[in-house]
Amino acid sequence: MEEKALGNPQAIPLITSDDNGRYTVHDEAVEILNAIPSPLAVIAVAGKWRTGKSFLLNSLLGLNGKPDSFVVGNTVHACTKGLWLWGRPLTLPDGLNVLFVDSEGLGSTSRTQTEDTQIFSLAVLLSSFFIWNSRGVIDGGALEDFGLVVNLTKHIHVRSDAASKAGGGGGGASGTGQTENEGLAEHFPAFLWVVRDFTLRLEANGRAIEDRQYLENALKPQNNLQGGTRNQIRNLLTSFFRTRDCVTLVRPATDEDMLRNLSAQPLENLRPEFVTALADLKKKVFGTVRPKTLNGRQMTGEMLATLTQTYADALNSGGVPTISTAWDRVLENQAAESEGKALLAYTETMGKALAMEPSLLASQAKSAETRKRQLRAPSRSRSSNNGGIFAAEAGSCALPMASERLLEVHAAAKEAATNVFKGSIWGKEQQSTAAVTAATNARLRAAIAAQFGAVDALNWVYSYEACGRVGENLFCELFEGRPEVMGPEKADEDAEASLASWCETFAAACGELKGRYLAEAVGPARDVILGDLLTEKVASVPGEWIGKVTAVERRAYQRLRSELSSVQEQHQALRGKLSAEKDAASREEASLVRASEEALKSTEHQVELAQAQKVAKEEELGRLNAYYERLEEAYGVAVRELETAMEGHSNLAESMEATSKGLAEQIVTHDENITNHSAANGAASDNAVDAAGTAAQLLVEQREVALMHEHAELVKKNIVATKELLAAKEKELEECEFQWGVAKANMAHEEGELFQLKDETAILSGLLLKIKQHLENSRSHQLPSDLVRLLNRGQFDILDGLEEE
């Protein structure tokens, strides 16, 4: 055996009651039950309080000595309230999921006999293997402790009162004459009586017997004073629990302290006989436990949760748990769940066939009918299809499709949903469908029909949007953008031929539009969009063509009117411009005459001035030539004098330099003589006789030396002055050369001015000649009379001379 990784490995409340006797099914337990599939078995333990029920369950779960287990009390107060469930089922090797339920101890001072019976009844109804836990032996007292079984028929019904009366069984369990006890026996679990702290020897008539035989012997009727009530309990036990057995367990320990803390003791601390018997108990329990069934149907955890809630609701309403009612409710829930699975299978099959996610298909189908009504509304222009909302969300899918194809997809999805429904509600056992009401089938059919209606509406919307796009594209291709269909952009000279051509083109475009549309458009909205195209868009084309033709003709007429007005304005402007040009020509002619006369006078005056300037320039040029010749002569004389002077000064300078050198040599010689004489005087200082003569001679020589020095200085100054004179002569020569250059430049300038004056005179003469020719050509080939009167004879000669030149 292995623990299934499901739920929490701890005890959680399944059903509890408050002080008012109201029962509550806890959500955590329901959540765990809903997650457990079939096959499912439920082992419930009941018994008098303080008899070790929780310890027995912990032993079956292998939780002895572990902190996480069912609570085991060691006081006089009950620990378990209501029914508690171990949160994680055990999975047996054959795949059976086993749940363990601990019940509140019976006979406690805090509970009434009715509440004990209700808790006992719930444990029996919910379990597939029921363990009654007691201590000591199975005797009269033990049977009386089990006396709750007498009241089971009062607290559990197989069928409701109304069903029993309808079946004609006054007190029978069914219409077949079956008694209530027999009916309960069919739904009661297997029974195991566990006798704790057993001290007797299993013998009968000197022979050893099994535990089971011990139970059967104890359930045989007895003939004694107290046999009435106890025999009734014996009969009910044998009637209700047709599958029954017994296990006896010795006292687990002899130490009282250990017994008070028995849940914390590992198995190795307990008596070996007890451990061995406990192992046999586990083998017997897990070897004989069977799946929980009801009306021959294996139950799932979800069905068990429905049963639990149904029984609790019956108790809370003041009634008693009714097995048939609970089963009907299970079937209803199962049918509802199967219906949901079938609808989901329908949606998934449709989504797969339509290449859409089921969630997207369901969400779009919900709003498709509303969208369809909006699109079909007469107050809306259906051709203005800015749709594509559904298609944009779905992307690439199989919609739209033909209605016939959609019906085929619907039939396949409906068949898949029906198979899922039948397989879900009946499983592999294929029980009779009589238990399923017509309402369930009708509800499923109605739900499938509603979903198909929504999908059909969605197909219509997809078809409307797709066909609308096809129509728009074809209309744009065949009509819009084609002037030969929608209307010309400029006027046509042959209007009748243009109209005939348009009619042929329009008819051909309509035929092509219809043919291509019917070939490309798909779905139930195809005819609707085609009607929209023909009645709205295509029907508006002739009117639009007429409007465009009218507009083009109107624009052409307006353009011609505008051009005519512009031509008239240009004609008036040209006439005004011609008149103005004539006036301007007259004024210009008069102005030219005046200008010519003034120019002639001015030119004659300029010619006279030019001739006078020419004469003056020629005279000045003669003077400049004479001056130039004189300057040349003076320059030659000055050069020769300068050369002579420079030659004389050069000789003088050489002579003076030679004299200076001689004087210098004399001075040196004299200095040497003086030195020698001084030396001689020093040597002959003792000669006093010549001292005076020598001194006089020295004075004379010193004066001569000084004079020689002065002469030398004068010679040097003379040389410097001579050099300065030569430099001045050179500057004078340079100034003469500069003046000669300036004179030559002035002469060249005067010659240039003379040439320029000649050119100006020639230009003025040509201009004067042209003026004369113009005046003669513009009139009667003669000069104007008023001009002739102003000219003298000399001026006429000048003009004649110009003509000859």
Side-chain angles (χ1 to χ4, degrees):
M1 295 177 296
E2 60 177 359
E3 256 191 24
K4 188 175 181 180
L6 177 67
N8 297 321
Q10 62 183 6
I12 58 176
L14 175 60
I15 302 178
T16 58
S17 62
D18 55 20
D19 295 337
N20 297 323
R22 186 170 184 84
Y23 291 89
T24 300
V25 180
H26 291 265
D27 295 337
E28 184 179 1
V30 172
E31 183 178 354
I32 293 175
L33 291 176
N34 287 335
I36 301 174
S38 63
L40 172 69
V42 181
I43 298 176
V45 178
K48 303 292 288 185
W49 71 304
R50 284 288 165 262
T51 56
K53 302 182 303 303
S54 300
F55 174 78
L56 180 60
L57 280 173
N58 290 334
S59 299
L60 292 175
L61 286 166
L63 299 177
N64 298 91
K66 295 182 179 179
D68 293 332
S69 60
F70 284 103
V71 178
V72 178
N74 54 12
T75 67
V76 295
H77 299 287
C79 295
T80 304
K81 300 292 185 181
L83 297 182
W84 284 63
L85 173 71
W86 185 250
R88 177 169 292 177
L90 287 180
T91 302
L92 301 184
D94 59 356
L96 181 63
N97 298 303
V98 182
L99 288 173
F100 295 87
V101 176
D102 189 11
S103 64
E104 182 177 350
L106 306 177
S108 68
T109 57
S110 61
R111 294 291 184 181
T112 64
Q113 186 177 8
T114 300
E115 292 173 335
D116 286 344
T117 305
Q118 290 175 343
I119 292 174
F120 180 80
S121 301
L122 289 174
V124 171
L125 289 172
L126 295 178
S127 63
S128 62
F129 196 93
F130 182 77
I131 299 176
W132 176 258
N133 182 75
S134 68
R135 285 182 174 179
V137 295
I138 303 177
D139 55 8
L143 290 174
E144 290 178 356
D145 290 339
F146 205 70
L148 294 174
V149 72
V150 177
N151 297 321
L152 282 180
T153 56
K154 299 179 181 179
H155 293 275
I156 300 175
H157 289 170
V158 177
R159 303 181 67 193
S160 63
D161 294 339
S164 298
K165 293 177 181 179
S174 66
T176 61
Q178 186 183 43
T179 65
E180 185 72 17
N181 291 348
E182 292 174 348
L184 289 175
E186 290 183 357
H187 300 290
F188 274 18
F191 177 77
L192 177 66
W193 193 322
V194 177
V195 183
R196 304 277 298 281
D197 300 343
F198 188 72
T199 58
L200 300 179
R201 297 174 62 181
L202 292 175
E203 292 182 355
N205 299 325
R207 298 174 59 183
I209 60 175
E210 299 291 335
D211 292 344
R212 180 185 180 88
Q213 187 59 45
Y214 172 69
L215 174 62
E216 294 299 327
N217 291 339
L219 294 180
K220 292 180 180 180
Q222 301 292 324
N223 294 322
N224 51 39
L225 295 177
Q226 299 177 348
T229 302
R230 294 175 180 178
N231 285 338
Q232 183 184 10
I233 295 174
R234 291 187 178 97
N235 292 331
L236 291 175
L237 279 174
T238 56
S239 299
F240 289 153
F241 301 105
R242 296 173 181 177
T243 301
R244 52 189 179 273
D245 203 345
C246 179
V247 172
T248 59
L249 299 174
V250 298
R251 193 179 183 90
T254 57
D255 185 83
E256 296 296 331
D257 292 334
M258 185 180 294
L259 290 174
R260 281 192 291 268
N261 196 22
L262 191 60
S263 61
Q265 302 300 325
L267 291 178
E268 55 267 21
N269 292 345
L270 304 180
R271 294 173 62 186
E273 308 93 297
F274 177 82
V275 175
T276 302
L278 187 60
D280 294 338
L281 171 64
K282 294 176 67 175
K283 289 181 181 179
K284 180 172 291 188
V285 170
F286 293 123
T288 58
V289 66
R290 295 293 180 266
K292 173 67 176 175
T293 61
L294 190 60
N295 289 337
R297 170 77 186 279
Q298 288 187 3
M299 302 188 67
T300 63
E302 186 175 359
M303 297 171 69
L304 182 63
T306 304
L307 277 179
T308 304
Q309 187 64 57
T310 304
Y311 292 148
D313 292 342
L315 294 174
N316 291 334
S317 64
V320 296
T322 302
I323 296 175
S324 62
T325 303
W327 178 242
D328 290 340
R329 185 169 177 180
V330 168
L331 289 181
E332 290 176 0
N333 289 345
Q334 189 75 359
E337 179 184 356
S338 300
E339 181 184 347
K341 293 179 180 178
L343 291 177
L344 179 60
Y346 178 84
T347 304
E348 291 177 348
T349 305
M350 291 290 288
K352 184 177 181 181
L354 302 179
M356 292 180 65
E357 290 293 333
S359 58
L360 178 61
L361 176 61
S363 64
Q364 287 193 355
K366 288 181 180 179
S367 56
E369 191 63 39
T370 302
R371 177 63 175 161
K372 181 179 179 181
R373 287 195 300 270
Q374 293 174 351
L375 294 175
R376 295 183 69 93
S379 60
R380 191 196 59 81
S381 177
R382 293 183 299 180
S383 61
S384 59
N385 178 25
N386 59 353
I389 300 174
F390 289 102
E393 293 177 352
S396 177
C397 69
L399 293 180
M401 61 175 54
S403 299
E404 295 78 7
R405 173 56 184 156
L406 185 63
L407 286 174
E408 295 175 0
V409 173
H410 163 67
K414 183 177 180 181
E415 182 179 358
T418 303
N419 293 334
V420 169
F421 177 76
K422 291 180 179 180
S424 176
I425 195 170
W426 303 120
K428 299 179 182 180
E429 300 170 4
Q430 294 296 327
Q431 294 183 355
S432 172
T433 59
V436 180
T437 62
T440 304
N441 287 326
R443 186 168 61 249
L444 177 60
R445 289 193 299 269
I448 292 177
Q451 284 205 11
F452 174 70
V455 173
D456 184 59
L458 182 62
N459 184 45
W460 191 94
V461 173
Y462 268 87
S463 175
Y464 186 91
E465 294 176 350
C467 294
R469 290 191 295 272
V470 171
E472 288 287 345
N473 294 336
L474 291 176
F475 185 80
C476 291
E477 178 184 351
L478 300 176
F479 288 88
E480 291 183 354
R482 295 181 62 188
E484 65 271 19
V485 178
M486 301 303 294
E489 299 297 333
K490 59 182 180 179
D492 195 343
E493 296 179 357
D494 191 354
E496 293 183 359
S498 176
L499 178 59
S501 174
W502 175 84
C503 290
E504 294 178 0
T505 305
F506 178 73
C510 290
E512 185 178 358
L513 172 67
K514 184 177 180 180
R516 291 178 59 181
Y517 174 82
L518 293 177
E520 298 178 19
V522 180
R526 183 175 67 168
D527 295 337
V528 175
I529 295 298
L530 181 60
D532 290 345
L533 285 173
L534 295 177
T535 58
E536 295 180 10
K537 285 185 172 294
V538 177
S540 64
V541 171
E544 187 171 353
W545 183 83
I546 294 173
K548 281 192 174 182
V549 170
T550 303
V552 167
E553 296 294 338
R554 185 181 296 109
R555 288 196 299 270
Y557 174 74
Q558 292 176 354
R559 185 173 62 255
L560 291 175
R561 288 288 302 273
S562 177
E563 290 177 356
L564 178 60
S565 177
S566 176
V567 168
Q568 291 176 350
E569 291 177 357
Q570 291 178 2
H571 175 69
Q572 294 295 334
L574 289 175
R575 290 186 63 182
K577 185 176 181 181
L578 180 60
S579 176
E581 287 180 354
K582 287 182 178 179
D583 296 340
S586 300
R587 289 193 298 272
E588 185 179 0
E589 183 178 3
S591 176
L592 285 175
V593 170
R594 290 193 298 272
S596 298
E597 294 174 353
E598 293 176 358
L600 182 61
K601 292 179 180 180
S602 175
T603 304
E604 290 175 352
H605 179 67
Q606 289 180 1
V607 168
E608 293 175 356
L609 291 178
Q611 288 178 350
Q613 288 179 358
K614 179 180 179 182
V615 173
K617 290 293 182 180
E618 288 176 349
E619 292 176 355
E620 185 176 0
L621 182 60
R623 289 193 299 272
L624 287 174
N625 286 329
Y627 178 69
Y628 174 71
E629 292 175 356
R630 289 195 300 274
L631 284 177
E632 261 188 345
E633 293 176 0
Y635 177 73
V637 173
V639 169
R640 288 192 296 272
E641 289 179 355
L642 181 60
E643 290 176 352
T644 302
M646 290 179 65
E647 185 178 358
H649 283 292
S650 176
N651 294 331
L652 179 61
E654 291 176 356
S655 176
M656 291 179 70
E657 286 181 356
T659 304
S660 177
K661 289 181 180 179
L663 289 174
E665 291 176 357
Q666 292 179 5
I667 291 170
V668 171
T669 303
H670 185 69
D671 289 338
E672 292 177 355
N673 291 329
I674 292 174
T675 303
N676 295 330
H677 184 71
S678 297
N681 287 338
S685 58
D686 56 352
N687 194 354
V689 177
D690 295 331
T694 303
Q697 189 178 354
L698 287 172
L699 290 174
V700 171
E701 290 178 354
Q702 288 177 353
R703 182 174 293 277
E704 287 179 358
V705 170
L707 291 173
M708 291 177 69
H709 277 292
E710 290 177 358
H711 181 68
E713 290 295 330
L714 291 174
V715 170
K716 288 180 179 180
K717 290 180 179 180
N718 190 12
I719 291 172
V720 172
T722 303
K723 288 182 178 181
E724 291 177 352
L725 180 61
L726 287 174
K729 289 294 183 179
E730 287 178 356
K731 288 181 179 180
E732 185 178 355
L733 183 60
E734 290 176 356
E735 181 67 22
C736 289
E737 290 177 351
F738 175 73
Q739 291 293 334
W740 170 244
V742 170
K744 290 176 71 177
N746 290 334
M747 186 174 179
H749 178 69
E750 292 295 335
E751 288 179 352
E753 288 183 352
L754 181 60
F755 289 143
Q756 184 177 2
L757 183 60
K758 289 180 179 181
D759 292 337
E760 291 177 355
T761 304
I763 291 171
L764 290 173
S765 299
L767 179 60
L768 185 60
L769 180 60
K770 289 181 180 179
I771 292 172
K772 178 183 177 184
Q773 292 175 353
H774 174 71
L775 293 175
E776 291 177 350
N777 292 333
S778 61
R779 296 290 179 91
S780 57
H781 302 286
Q782 293 181 357
L783 293 174
S785 57
D786 52 353
L787 181 61
V788 172
R789 288 194 298 270
L790 296 175
L791 298 177
N792 53 30
R793 185 64 185 173
Q795 292 172 342
F796 274 113
D797 294 338
I798 291 173
L799 292 176
D800 293 335
L802 289 174
E803 290 180 353
E804 293 175 358
E805 290 178 3

PDB file of all heavy atoms in Angstrom, residues 266-279:
ATOM      1  N   PRO A 266       5.120   3.506  20.212  1.00  0.00           N
ATOM      2  CA  PRO A 266       5.360   2.733  18.988  1.00  0.00           C
ATOM      3  C   PRO A 266       4.947   1.280  19.197  1.00  0.00           C
ATOM      4  O   PRO A 266       4.803   0.803  20.331  1.00  0.00           O
ATOM      5  CB  PRO A 266       6.872   2.872  18.788  1.00  0.00           C
ATOM      6  CG  PRO A 266       7.428   3.175  20.134  1.00  0.00           C
ATOM      7  CD  PRO A 266       6.374   3.950  20.873  1.00  0.00           C
ATOM      8  N   LEU A 267       4.758   0.549  18.128  1.00  0.00           N
ATOM      9  CA  LEU A 267       4.259  -0.824  18.203  1.00  0.00           C
ATOM     10  C   LEU A 267       5.210  -1.731  18.964  1.00  0.00           C
ATOM     11  O   LEU A 267       4.780  -2.666  19.652  1.00  0.00           O
ATOM     12  CB  LEU A 267       4.024  -1.367  16.786  1.00  0.00           C
ATOM     13  CG  LEU A 267       2.868  -0.733  16.006  1.00  0.00           C
ATOM     14  CD1 LEU A 267       2.777  -1.340  14.610  1.00  0.00           C
ATOM     15  CD2 LEU A 267       1.556  -0.921  16.749  1.00  0.00           C
ATOM     16  N   GLU A 268       6.511  -1.466  18.885  1.00  0.00           N
ATOM     17  CA  GLU A 268       7.455  -2.352  19.577  1.00  0.00           C
ATOM     18  C   GLU A 268       7.344  -2.263  21.094  1.00  0.00           C
ATOM     19  O   GLU A 268       7.832  -3.153  21.815  1.00  0.00           O
ATOM     20  CB  GLU A 268       8.889  -2.068  19.124  1.00  0.00           C
ATOM     21  CG  GLU A 268       9.323  -0.623  19.274  1.00  0.00           C
ATOM     22  CD  GLU A 268       9.076   0.169  17.992  1.00  0.00           C
ATOM     23  OE1 GLU A 268       8.238  -0.279  17.173  1.00  0.00           O
ATOM     24  OE2 GLU A 268       9.720   1.212  17.805  1.00  0.00           O
ATOM     25  N   ASN A 269       6.694  -1.214  21.604  1.00  0.00           N
ATOM     26  CA  ASN A 269       6.498  -1.094  23.049  1.00  0.00           C
ATOM     27  C   ASN A 269       5.242  -1.832  23.522  1.00  0.00           C
ATOM     28  O   ASN A 269       5.000  -1.921  24.734  1.00  0.00           O
ATOM     29  CB  ASN A 269       6.401   0.372  23.452  1.00  0.00           C
ATOM     30  CG  ASN A 269       7.740   1.100  23.275  1.00  0.00           C
ATOM     31  OD1 ASN A 269       8.778   0.471  23.130  1.00  0.00           O
ATOM     32  ND2 ASN A 269       7.698   2.427  23.282  1.00  0.00           N
ATOM     33  N   LEU A 270       4.431  -2.266  22.581  1.00  0.00           N
ATOM     34  CA  LEU A 270       3.170  -2.923  22.945  1.00  0.00           C
ATOM     35  C   LEU A 270       3.375  -4.438  23.030  1.00  0.00           C
ATOM     36  O   LEU A 270       4.399  -4.991  22.603  1.00  0.00           O
ATOM     37  CB  LEU A 270       2.103  -2.583  21.905  1.00  0.00           C
ATOM     38  CG  LEU A 270       1.841  -1.082  21.679  1.00  0.00           C
ATOM     39  CD1 LEU A 270       0.762  -0.884  20.627  1.00  0.00           C
ATOM     40  CD2 LEU A 270       1.449  -0.392  22.995  1.00  0.00           C
ATOM     41  N   ARG A 271       2.351  -5.116  23.597  1.00  0.00           N
ATOM     42  CA  ARG A 271       2.414  -6.565  23.772  1.00  0.00           C
ATOM     43  C   ARG A 271       2.507  -7.257  22.421  1.00  0.00           C
ATOM     44  O   ARG A 271       1.791  -6.886  21.479  1.00  0.00           O
ATOM     45  CB  ARG A 271       1.179  -7.058  24.523  1.00  0.00           C
ATOM     46  CG  ARG A 271       1.113  -6.566  25.964  1.00  0.00           C
ATOM     47  CD  ARG A 271      -0.214  -6.959  26.584  1.00  0.00           C
ATOM     48  NE  ARG A 271      -0.368  -8.406  26.631  1.00  0.00           N
ATOM     49  CZ  ARG A 271      -1.467  -9.039  27.015  1.00  0.00           C
ATOM     50  NH1 ARG A 271      -2.538  -8.318  27.380  1.00  0.00           N
ATOM     51  NH2 ARG A 271      -1.526 -10.363  27.043  1.00  0.00           N
ATOM     52  N   PRO A 272       3.356  -8.257  22.268  1.00  0.00           N
ATOM     53  CA  PRO A 272       3.486  -8.952  20.985  1.00  0.00           C
ATOM     54  C   PRO A 272       2.185  -9.568  20.524  1.00  0.00           C
ATOM     55  O   PRO A 272       1.901  -9.572  19.317  1.00  0.00           O
ATOM     56  CB  PRO A 272       4.548 -10.005  21.263  1.00  0.00           C
ATOM     57  CG  PRO A 272       5.325  -9.482  22.427  1.00  0.00           C
ATOM     58  CD  PRO A 272       4.340  -8.744  23.275  1.00  0.00           C
ATOM     59  N   GLU A 273       1.394 -10.114  21.477  1.00  0.00           N
ATOM     60  CA  GLU A 273       0.128 -10.702  21.062  1.00  0.00           C
ATOM     61  C   GLU A 273      -0.783  -9.660  20.424  1.00  0.00           C
ATOM     62  O   GLU A 273      -1.480  -9.934  19.425  1.00  0.00           O
ATOM     63  CB  GLU A 273      -0.593 -11.337  22.256  1.00  0.00           C
ATOM     64  CG  GLU A 273       0.269 -12.314  23.050  1.00  0.00           C
ATOM     65  CD  GLU A 273       0.967 -11.616  24.208  1.00  0.00           C
ATOM     66  OE1 GLU A 273       1.799 -10.710  23.928  1.00  0.00           O
ATOM     67  OE2 GLU A 273       0.679 -11.945  25.362  1.00  0.00           O
ATOM     68  N   PHE A 274      -0.758  -8.447  20.980  1.00  0.00           N
ATOM     69  CA  PHE A 274      -1.579  -7.365  20.436  1.00  0.00           C
ATOM     70  C   PHE A 274      -1.075  -6.943  19.051  1.00  0.00           C
ATOM     71  O   PHE A 274      -1.868  -6.725  18.131  1.00  0.00           O
ATOM     72  CB  PHE A 274      -1.576  -6.174  21.390  1.00  0.00           C
ATOM     73  CG  PHE A 274      -2.332  -4.987  20.878  1.00  0.00           C
ATOM     74  CD1 PHE A 274      -3.714  -4.915  21.003  1.00  0.00           C
ATOM     75  CD2 PHE A 274      -1.671  -3.935  20.242  1.00  0.00           C
ATOM     76  CE1 PHE A 274      -4.417  -3.833  20.513  1.00  0.00           C
ATOM     77  CE2 PHE A 274      -2.372  -2.853  19.748  1.00  0.00           C
ATOM     78  CZ  PHE A 274      -3.745  -2.801  19.886  1.00  0.00           C
ATOM     79  N   VAL A 275       0.251  -6.834  18.913  1.00  0.00           N
ATOM     80  CA  VAL A 275       0.830  -6.423  17.635  1.00  0.00           C
ATOM     81  C   VAL A 275       0.489  -7.444  16.561  1.00  0.00           C
ATOM     82  O   VAL A 275       0.137  -7.097  15.425  1.00  0.00           O
ATOM     83  CB  VAL A 275       2.346  -6.236  17.773  1.00  0.00           C
ATOM     84  CG1 VAL A 275       2.978  -5.934  16.410  1.00  0.00           C
ATOM     85  CG2 VAL A 275       2.661  -5.106  18.750  1.00  0.00           C
ATOM     86  N   THR A 276       0.567  -8.748  16.929  1.00  0.00           N
ATOM     87  CA  THR A 276       0.243  -9.800  15.954  1.00  0.00           C
ATOM     88  C   THR A 276      -1.217  -9.739  15.550  1.00  0.00           C
ATOM     89  O   THR A 276      -1.569  -9.815  14.362  1.00  0.00           O
ATOM     90  CB  THR A 276       0.579 -11.173  16.531  1.00  0.00           C
ATOM     91  OG1 THR A 276       1.972 -11.214  16.874  1.00  0.00           O
ATOM     92  CG2 THR A 276       0.283 -12.272  15.515  1.00  0.00           C
ATOM     93  N   ALA A 277      -2.086  -9.593  16.548  1.00  0.00           N
ATOM     94  CA  ALA A 277      -3.516  -9.514  16.238  1.00  0.00           C
ATOM     95  C   ALA A 277      -3.841  -8.253  15.430  1.00  0.00           C
ATOM     96  O   ALA A 277      -4.717  -8.275  14.553  1.00  0.00           O
ATOM     97  CB  ALA A 277      -4.309  -9.527  17.542  1.00  0.00           C
ATOM     98  N   LEU A 278      -3.123  -7.174  15.709  1.00  0.00           N
ATOM     99  CA  LEU A 278      -3.348  -5.929  14.964  1.00  0.00           C
ATOM    100  C   LEU A 278      -2.940  -6.101  13.506  1.00  0.00           C
ATOM    101  O   LEU A 278      -3.628  -5.597  12.590  1.00  0.00           O
ATOM    102  CB  LEU A 278      -2.573  -4.787  15.615  1.00  0.00           C
ATOM    103  CG  LEU A 278      -2.822  -3.380  15.066  1.00  0.00           C
ATOM    104  CD1 LEU A 278      -4.285  -3.001  15.225  1.00  0.00           C
ATOM    105  CD2 LEU A 278      -1.922  -2.362  15.767  1.00  0.00           C
ATOM    106  N   ALA A 279      -1.850  -6.829  13.264  1.00  0.00           N
ATOM    107  CA  ALA A 279      -1.427  -7.090  11.881  1.00  0.00           C
ATOM    108  C   ALA A 279      -2.468  -7.939  11.160  1.00  0.00           C
ATOM    109  O   ALA A 279      -2.774  -7.694   9.982  1.00  0.00           O
ATOM    110  CB  ALA A 279      -0.066  -7.777  11.871  1.00  0.00           C
TER     111      ALA A 279
END
